[in-house]
Amino acid sequence: SRRRFKATFEAVRDQFGGQEGMFRRLFGGGSADLFLVPMENGEIDWLESGVEIRAKPPGKEPRVISQLSGGEKTMTAVALLMAIFRSKPSPFCILDEVDAALDEANVERFTKALGPFLDRSHFIVITHHKRTMQACHELHGVTMAERGVSRRVTVRVDQVGADGRIREDALE
Amino acid sequence: SRRRFKATFEAVRDQFGGQEGMFRRLFGGGSADLFLVPMENGEIDWLESGVEIRAKPPGKEPRVISQLSGGEKTMTAVALLMAIFRSKPSPFCILDEVDAALDEANVERFTKALGPFLDRSHFIVITHHKRTMQACHELHGVTMAERGVSRRVTVRVDQVGADGRIREDALE
Amino acid sequence: MRLSRLTLSGFKSFADPTDFRFDAPITGIVGPNGCGKSNVVDAIKWVLGERSAKSLRGGAMLDVIFAGSASRKPGGHASVTLTFDNPRLAVPIDRDIPEISTEAEPAETMDVEGASIDGPVQRDAVRDRLLPVDADEVQVERRLWADGRSEYLVNGRKVRLRDVRELFLDTGIGNDAYCIIEQGKVDAMLRAHPVERRSILEEAA
Amino acid sequence: MRLSRLTLSGFKSFADPTDFRFDAPITGIVGPNGCGKSNVVDAIKWVLGERSAKSLRGGAMLDVIFAGSASRKPGGHASVTLTFDNPRLAVPIDRDIPEISTEAEPAETMDVEGASIDGPVQRDAVRDRLLPVDADEVQVERRLWADGRSEYLVNGRKVRLRDVRELFLDTGIGNDAYCIIEQGKVDAMLRAHPVERRSILEEAA
Ligand SMILES: Nc1ncnc2c1ncn2[C@@H]1O[C@H](COP(=O)(O)OP(=O)(O)OP(=O)(O)O)[C@@H](O)[C@H]1O
Ligand SMILES: Nc1ncnc2c1ncn2[C@@H]1O[C@H](COP(=O)(O)OP(=O)(O)OP(=O)(O)O)[C@@H](O)[C@H]1O
Ligand SMILES: [Mg+2]
Ligand SMILES: [Mg+2]
């Protein structure tokens, strides 16, 4: 219904672009916003209008979000996802290599941003980044010791080699 | 013309899926192939038919290439690119974070695969992976010491921090 | 209500029964390229009702059954089970009671003998648990055989796909919900068309 | 024939004149997220004749001009130059002489006074160099002003876009050639439709 969408939109907008919102938290500043795209007649229609995103990393003036870099796009998308999550938390969240385009400094900010959500949800994170592994409380290793057949082993961060391979000692 | 396409197709096919082809070199085994898709009438048309890819990492039996993992797709695509490159080298090749989905072992295989091409071409590689940086003969750092304004500095691998940031001592 | 465990057997590269426990606030899954990490995500989407083979990176739905390897024959069926903790709540929930549409379910989830199934999901009867099932633990299972037969089960009882979807109504859980971000799709929301972005927000409304 | 240098000025985030030399077999470009690495790739595509703003990640072509920052005013024009070594060859090349089409070039590359330009590209005259220009070094430059005027230059002389394309004919170099792999697009060949894959192979034929 219209009323519910409006309430969710306003909540997500604030959680995303507000002063204390996820964008400023992930970028350490800057500004972001969500707005509804007017219809052909120039009016905003709460039931039909699409949603546009504006994102300005600190000190930059991109006109459109397509000008953002690969890493900036990832961080903006994660900020928006977290904003939605804050207004409607789900019991768990699965993230499959969302940190692939991030440099180490942004990996650090990303893992720190998960903190405030842990009272209501838990995260399952697939990654190749050592820093993200270090932020996990538990690690499951998946190996194909037998070619073509996946097996799960329990690992500690120090048993995952720099190359993501699981060291022999973890493969009971 | 038909004759030229056929010659290029056969050459790339062999460079990709042949015994000594790029696929087997990058995966350390397995098999791959390129084939033309028959038209509606069941015949292959050298002027119109599309190109299909088959790729089987060692010990696996994927029916379609969409079943491959993120890293396997990247390695297959790089193998195909290199095969095209071998049959028609261009003076330079620019690769923008092609190693983003790769684990360290595959980053190693990828950088080693560039070796045989260096007598005819040179590579410009954008990366966040330390291993790829170590395979470069020269490194250019790009910084935004002044927010929003890019500047180039010369760096050595040891001056690039784990977090991809360029350490102060390189910023003359 | 917490996702506490995932069990796969014969699903994609997981030929043998494999268990993943999720007891920690942040659980990492690691391993080299091609070892089976994203297959775990596909398994969770599948058991939650995913019906498109393409969105499970396959050609046909039967592609989720273990296809064999250099040393093993192809599997006969695939099975995935999700286990949720579902403790009694101090304060009962006020649940909307959705109208249950009476249109027939597609055949794929009919009970193997074709009988209609009395859902274990008692939406209005169970107000003191997050999942409307009167049990401390809720197990949702999906099975698929090589001959195409498939079934869904909740706590061991056969149900329809509609029952599974109803079970998770308003929880934020679903096979294409915003809480599952697939590999390479993190910036899908930025790349999407403005109207598509709207429908993602509507889901969270 | 080797790409030896790239010079950017006022192009995207490169407000000041910036030089990149490419003397090594493998040159790496590194730096944190958002610092300007992919803008370098956009610069190379642009000077080679890219005409789609979208494929340079912008809304309009004027978006390639430095748009200002917290501490600087927007730029007035963008300029990018590629420098190629073009030594004399021991063995002359047998070059096809393409038919030159006589359709008018789109206005964007007309000389600012509108005069037609006598191309420096002497395709059949220069057989002992890889690039058909009789010089040891070939510089290709593209400029764009905030008022929309734009021009191409080869070794300081104004040319048309068609001359630039002709210069690189059969070298494997081009703004959308297989030798430039943009960020996030490495598996584009795998995701492409079979007929699109064919056109990539045709380019290499
Ligand atoms: N039905 C099946 N039977 C057996 N193996 C399968 C089946 N479906 C997919 N696979 C295999 O699973 C592998 C892909 O696994 P997955 O995508 O989970 O890897 P990953 O660990 O996510 O790797 P990456 O780090 O590269 O993303 C492929 O090699 C594919 O051949
Ligand atoms: N015309 C312009 N003027 C000023 N800045 C611009 C202009 N166009 C793009 N930018 C800025 O350039 C930045 C993007 O740079 P780029 O994509 O090269 O980063 P990158 O180094 O590749 O980062 P990543 O590692 O995340 O991929 C954006 O922050 C964008 O705002
Ligand atoms: Mg994966
Ligand atoms: Mg980039």
Side-chain angles (χ1 to χ4, degrees):
Chain A
S1 76
R2 205 164 118 149
R3 194 176 40 70
R4 262 171 80 171
F5 178 75
K6 190 166 176 162
T8 301
F9 177 80
E10 300 292 4
V12 172
R13 185 178 176 198
D14 182 53
Q15 296 287 4
F16 176 62
Q19 279 302 314
E20 304 297 322
M22 292 310 296
F23 185 85
R24 287 177 55 82
R25 189 192 288 259
L26 281 177
F27 279 85
S31 71
D33 199 7
L34 291 183
F35 51 96
L36 289 181
V37 180
M39 307 296 286
E40 265 109 65
N41 63 6
E43 302 275 326
I44 286 178
D45 179 341
W46 283 97
L47 279 172
E48 298 287 335
S49 284
V51 174
E52 196 48 82
I53 302 168
R54 192 183 305 129
K56 290 200 167 140
K60 300 189 172 179
E61 302 288 341
R63 251 170 29 82
V64 281
I65 53 173
S66 62
Q67 288 179 307
L68 297 178
S69 81
E72 291 170 335
K73 279 188 186 130
T74 291
M75 293 295 272
T76 303
V78 168
L80 186 51
L81 176 81
M82 300 261 184
I84 296 173
F85 219 67
R86 213 183 248 302
S87 76
K88 171 103 190 226
S90 100
F92 65 87
C93 180
I94 305 175
L95 304 171
D96 191 350
E97 301 200 27
V98 296
D99 55 5
L102 301 183
D103 63 29
E104 300 285 338
N106 276 331
V107 166
E108 192 76 31
R109 281 203 204 107
F110 155 62
T111 52
K112 282 220 178 71
L114 299 182
F117 292 94
L118 301 181
D119 56 341
R120 289 187 293 190
S121 314
H122 65 107
F123 289 86
I124 300 167
V125 180
I126 297 174
T127 182
H128 288 295
H129 272 272
K130 279 296 239 187
R131 288 242 175 157
T132 305
M133 292 179 201
Q134 282 152 3
C136 296
H137 305 94
E138 198 178 354
L139 281 183
H140 293 304
V142 180
T143 80
M144 272 194 175
E146 181 188 346
R147 272 222 174 131
V149 178
S150 295
R151 224 160 54 83
R152 190 199 63 76
V153 292
T154 305
V155 283
R156 297 187 311 274
V157 180
D158 52 47
Q159 289 174 313
V160 185
D163 64 358
R165 283 211 188 281
I166 294 155
R167 282 218 307 269
E168 290 314 305
D169 54 339
L171 304 176
E172 308 90 14
Chain B
S1 78
R2 205 169 125 141
R3 194 175 41 69
R4 262 173 80 175
F5 178 77
K6 190 166 176 165
T8 301
F9 178 81
E10 300 291 6
V12 172
R13 186 176 173 203
D14 183 52
Q15 296 288 2
F16 176 62
Q19 278 303 314
E20 305 297 324
M22 291 311 298
F23 185 85
R24 286 176 55 83
R25 189 192 289 255
L26 281 175
F27 280 85
S31 70
D33 201 6
L34 291 183
F35 51 96
L36 291 180
V37 181
M39 309 296 286
E40 260 113 67
N41 63 5
E43 301 275 324
I44 286 180
D45 179 341
W46 283 97
L47 279 172
E48 297 287 335
S49 283
V51 174
E52 197 48 80
I53 302 168
R54 204 197 337 255
K56 287 199 171 142
K60 299 191 174 176
E61 301 287 341
R63 252 170 30 84
V64 280
I65 53 174
S66 62
Q67 287 179 306
L68 297 178
S69 83
E72 290 170 336
K73 279 191 185 123
T74 291
M75 294 294 272
T76 303
V78 168
L80 186 51
L81 175 81
M82 300 264 182
I84 296 174
F85 219 67
R86 211 182 249 302
S87 75
K88 170 105 192 230
S90 97
F92 66 87
C93 179
I94 305 174
L95 304 171
D96 192 350
E97 301 199 26
V98 296
D99 55 5
L102 300 184
D103 64 29
E104 301 285 339
N106 275 330
V107 167
E108 192 75 26
R109 284 205 199 102
F110 155 63
T111 53
K112 283 222 176 66
L114 299 181
F117 292 93
L118 301 180
D119 56 340
R120 288 187 291 191
S121 315
H122 65 106
F123 289 86
I124 300 166
V125 181
I126 297 173
T127 182
H128 288 295
H129 272 275
K130 279 297 237 185
R131 286 240 176 160
T132 305
M133 292 180 201
Q134 281 153 4
C136 297
H137 304 93
E138 196 178 359
L139 282 183
H140 292 304
V142 180
T143 80
M144 272 196 176
E146 181 188 345
R147 268 213 176 142
V149 177
S150 296
R151 225 159 57 83
R152 189 197 65 75
V153 291
T154 304
V155 284
R156 296 186 311 273
V157 180
D158 54 23
Q159 288 174 316
V160 186
D163 64 358
R165 285 208 185 278
I166 293 154
R167 282 215 308 268
E168 291 312 303
D169 54 335
L171 305 176
E172 309 91 8
Chain C
M1 193 242 300
R2 215 192 127 80
L3 169 64
S4 58
R5 205 167 69 218
L6 164 72
T7 310
L8 311 92
S9 179
F11 182 87
K12 290 204 167 190
S13 52
F14 292 90
D16 300 326
T18 312
D19 250 29
F20 287 83
R21 295 200 64 86
F22 302 118
D23 301 326
I26 306 178
T27 305
I29 298 181
V30 298
N33 288 141
C35 68
K37 302 183 297 294
S38 296
N39 289 345
V40 169
V41 180
D42 290 340
I44 293 174
K45 286 176 61 180
W46 186 68
V47 71
L48 291 175
E50 179 61 65
R51 303 173 74 177
S52 141
K54 185 155 181 281
S55 104
L56 295 171
R57 299 182 293 153
M61 198 48 104
L62 291 179
D63 284 343
V64 302
I65 300 174
F66 177 66
S69 69
S71 53
R72 300 220 192 175
K73 294 198 322 293
H77 84 285
S79 152
V80 175
T81 305
L82 285 183
T83 306
F84 292 90
D85 299 336
N86 190 33
R88 274 190 202 287
L89 302 167
V91 176
I93 312 180
D94 177 24
R95 255 190 253 280
D96 301 347
I97 303 177
E99 301 103 58
I100 300 277
S101 64
T102 49
E103 105 285 336
E105 265 293 315
E108 77 167 279
T109 56
M110 288 309 276
D111 185 81
V112 282
E113 286 86 41
S116 116
I117 309 156
D118 185 26
V121 178
Q122 302 124 5
R123 272 204 86 74
D124 39 340
V126 183
R127 291 188 176 279
D128 59 350
R129 296 186 195 267
L130 265 172
L131 290 176
V133 175
D134 199 6
D136 286 336
E137 219 179 55
V138 176
Q139 291 198 334
V140 181
E141 183 181 355
R142 183 173 178 181
R143 297 180 184 159
L144 176 70
W145 282 267
D147 64 8
R149 278 178 312 138
S150 97
E151 57 190 28
Y152 293 89
L153 299 97
V154 173
N155 285 357
R157 296 182 51 186
K158 290 190 192 122
V159 298
R160 296 162 299 185
L161 169 58
R162 194 166 66 217
D163 296 309
V164 172
R165 288 193 194 278
E166 217 182 285
L167 184 67
F168 294 116
L169 213 64
D170 265 350
T171 60
I173 298 176
N175 57 297
D176 59 355
Y178 53 88
C179 68
I180 300 178
I181 306 291
E182 295 166 60
Q183 190 170 5
K185 301 238 167 59
V186 63
D187 60 355
M189 188 84 171
L190 265 65
R191 271 182 288 153
H193 192 272
V195 175
E196 281 169 71
R197 286 185 199 134
R198 180 195 173 89
S199 64
I200 295 172
L201 279 187
E202 278 169 351
E203 197 193 297
Chain D
M1 184 243 305
R2 217 193 125 79
L3 170 66
S4 59
R5 204 167 67 218
L6 164 73
T7 310
L8 311 92
S9 179
F11 182 88
K12 289 204 170 192
S13 52
F14 291 90
D16 300 326
T18 312
D19 250 31
F20 286 83
R21 295 199 64 86
F22 301 118
D23 302 325
I26 307 179
T27 305
I29 299 181
V30 299
N33 287 141
C35 69
K37 301 183 299 292
S38 297
N39 290 343
V40 169
V41 179
D42 290 339
I44 293 173
K45 285 177 62 183
W46 187 67
V47 71
L48 291 175
E50 179 60 65
R51 303 171 75 178
S52 141
K54 188 160 179 286
S55 106
L56 295 171
R57 301 181 293 154
M61 198 47 106
L62 291 180
D63 284 341
V64 302
I65 300 174
F66 178 65
S69 70
S71 54
R72 299 220 190 177
K73 294 198 325 292
H77 83 287
S79 152
V80 175
T81 306
L82 284 182
T83 306
F84 292 90
D85 298 337
N86 190 35
R88 275 191 202 284
L89 302 167
V91 176
I93 312 180
D94 176 22
R95 250 188 257 278
D96 301 347
I97 303 176
E99 302 100 53
I100 301 276
S101 64
T102 50
E103 106 282 340
E105 266 291 320
E108 78 166 282
T109 56
M110 287 308 276
D111 182 6
V112 284
E113 285 86 42
S116 120
I117 307 158
D118 186 27
V121 177
Q122 301 124 6
R123 272 204 85 72
D124 37 345
V126 183
R127 290 189 180 280
D128 59 349
R129 295 185 195 267
L130 264 174
L131 289 176
V133 175
D134 200 5
D136 286 338
E137 217 179 57
V138 176
Q139 290 197 335
V140 181
E141 183 181 357
R142 184 173 179 180
R143 296 179 185 159
L144 177 69
W145 282 269
D147 64 8
R149 278 177 314 137
S150 98
E151 58 191 26
Y152 293 90
L153 299 97
V154 173
N155 284 356
R157 298 182 53 181
K158 288 190 196 124
V159 297
R160 296 164 299 188
L161 170 57
R162 195 166 66 216
D163 296 311
V164 171
R165 287 193 196 279
E166 219 179 287
L167 184 68
F168 294 116
L169 214 62
D170 264 350
T171 59
I173 298 176
N175 57 297
D176 60 357
Y178 53 89
C179 68
I180 300 178
I181 306 292
E182 295 166 59
Q183 189 170 6
K185 300 235 169 59
V186 63
D187 60 353
M189 187 84 169
L190 264 64
R191 272 181 289 151
H193 193 272
V195 175
E196 284 168 73
R197 287 185 196 134
R198 183 196 168 87
S199 64
I200 296 171
L201 278 187
E202 278 169 350
E203 197 193 296

